[in-house]
Amino acid sequence: DSGVTQTPKHLITATGQRVTLRCSPRSGDLSVYWYQQSLDQGLQFLIQYYNGEERAKGNILERFSAQQFPDLHSELNLSSLELGDSALYFCASSPGTSGGLTDTQYFGPGTRLTVL
Amino acid sequence: AQSVTQPDIHITVSEGASLELRCNYSYGATPYLFWYVQSPGQGLQLLLKYFSGDTLVQGIKGFEAEFKRSQSSFNLRKPSVHWSDAAEYFCAVDPLTGRRALTFGSGTRLQVQP
């Protein structure tokens, strides 16, 4: 158990809908990362938050957004869903201290999203 | 271009045999290097990491990895594989500059034969 929790574990929805994935980082971790794992794209970085602020963006679609709340949990919002958004979405957290020089990311169990 | 390559998509070994999974990276400077394992239906578990110092790194579950700067490689090894090691293994890189998110290789699926 990494200490990172994600809910829900599974999500099935229809095209055009909007969903919210939730992540609680390990106790004390300030950084939260979101990754998408799909068969055709592999594991891809989406976005990072550090202590409530967006720090880095990866291959995140404009239909997707995220935020990190004062209690440090994070939510990933996916809207206007398409079939191709079906994937496993991982959250990871890291301490984010010491400038992040030796940060290690610990991953949650993931949320499997199926878009029908 | 910066990249992480795992040349072997799928490897099958017999239980008790040794294992080596390959990982090569292409970055301007030596990045931080990681190996993660993903069991079926599970999340990613950190096996080991290399930041600096001793180039032979010990991890959990009896795994080790060796960093070779001259070959830009960070291969994962285990002397004797157990059936429970069947999983997908991912090499990942933190480039240390710019965006600090991990870049993952495409993964190697390990199958263990009895």
Side-chain angles (χ1 to χ4, degrees):
Chain A
D1 185 357
S2 67
V4 179
T5 60
Q6 289 186 249
T7 56
K9 196 175 175 70
H10 300 278
L11 201 48
I12 301 174
T13 188
T15 54
Q17 296 298 304
R18 173 190 170 95
V19 297
T20 298
L21 313 184
R22 182 187 169 103
C23 167
S24 292
R26 297 186 320 153
S27 177
D29 282 359
L30 300 178
S31 268
V32 169
Y33 303 77
W34 286 97
Y35 292 85
Q36 180 195 58
Q37 185 179 35
S38 62
L39 284 175
D40 53 344
Q41 300 284 337
L43 266 160
Q44 296 221 332
F45 167 68
L46 295 178
I47 197 164
Q48 179 203 359
Y49 277 80
Y50 173 78
N51 203 19
E53 305 264 333
E54 182 184 302
R55 175 160 277 189
K57 260 186 173 177
N59 300 322
I60 188 165
L61 299 171
E62 284 194 12
R63 300 183 283 109
F64 296 0
S65 65
Q67 53 185 326
Q68 186 179 27
F69 294 87
D71 67 352
L72 300 176
H73 91 271
S74 178
E75 292 181 357
L76 179 67
N77 300 295
L78 316 177
S79 62
S80 302
L81 284 167
E82 302 175 359
L83 296 178
D85 298 327
S86 295
L88 195 51
Y89 291 84
F90 286 111
C91 167
S93 75
S94 70
T97 53
S98 69
L101 287 177
T102 54
D103 253 8
T104 297
Q105 293 180 34
Y106 294 90
F107 283 74
T111 293
R112 181 167 295 282
L113 173 66
T114 302
V115 182
L116 301 175
Chain B
Q2 298 178 335
S3 65
V4 182
T5 303
Q6 292 181 247
D8 304 305
I9 297 173
H10 185 233
I11 282 183
T12 300
V13 299
S14 298
E15 192 167 17
S18 64
L19 171 70
E20 182 167 23
L21 303 182
R22 296 182 290 164
C23 173
N24 293 96
Y25 63 90
S26 175
Y27 282 80
T30 300
Y32 288 160
L33 298 156
F34 304 82
W35 276 98
Y36 287 85
V37 60
Q38 184 179 23
S39 298
Q42 302 295 314
L44 293 160
Q45 182 181 23
L46 178 68
L47 283 177
L48 46 77
K49 59 191 177 186
Y50 174 77
F51 290 150
S52 65
D54 193 347
T55 57
L56 187 62
V57 180
Q58 301 298 320
I60 62 170
K61 303 186 180 188
F63 285 92
E64 65 178 28
E66 185 171 14
F67 168 65
K68 291 186 178 180
R69 185 188 307 273
S70 61
Q71 297 176 19
S72 297
S73 69
F74 188 55
N75 293 349
L76 182 71
R77 302 195 295 242
K78 187 169 185 178
S80 177
V81 169
H82 187 261
W83 63 266
S84 60
D85 293 324
E88 186 144 24
Y89 292 80
F90 292 93
C91 180
V93 164
D94 176 345
L96 299 182
T97 60
R99 196 182 72 197
R100 293 290 306 278
L102 294 176
T103 296
F104 285 87
S106 54
T108 298
R109 182 166 296 281
L110 172 66
Q111 190 172 354
V112 180
Q113 287 182 333

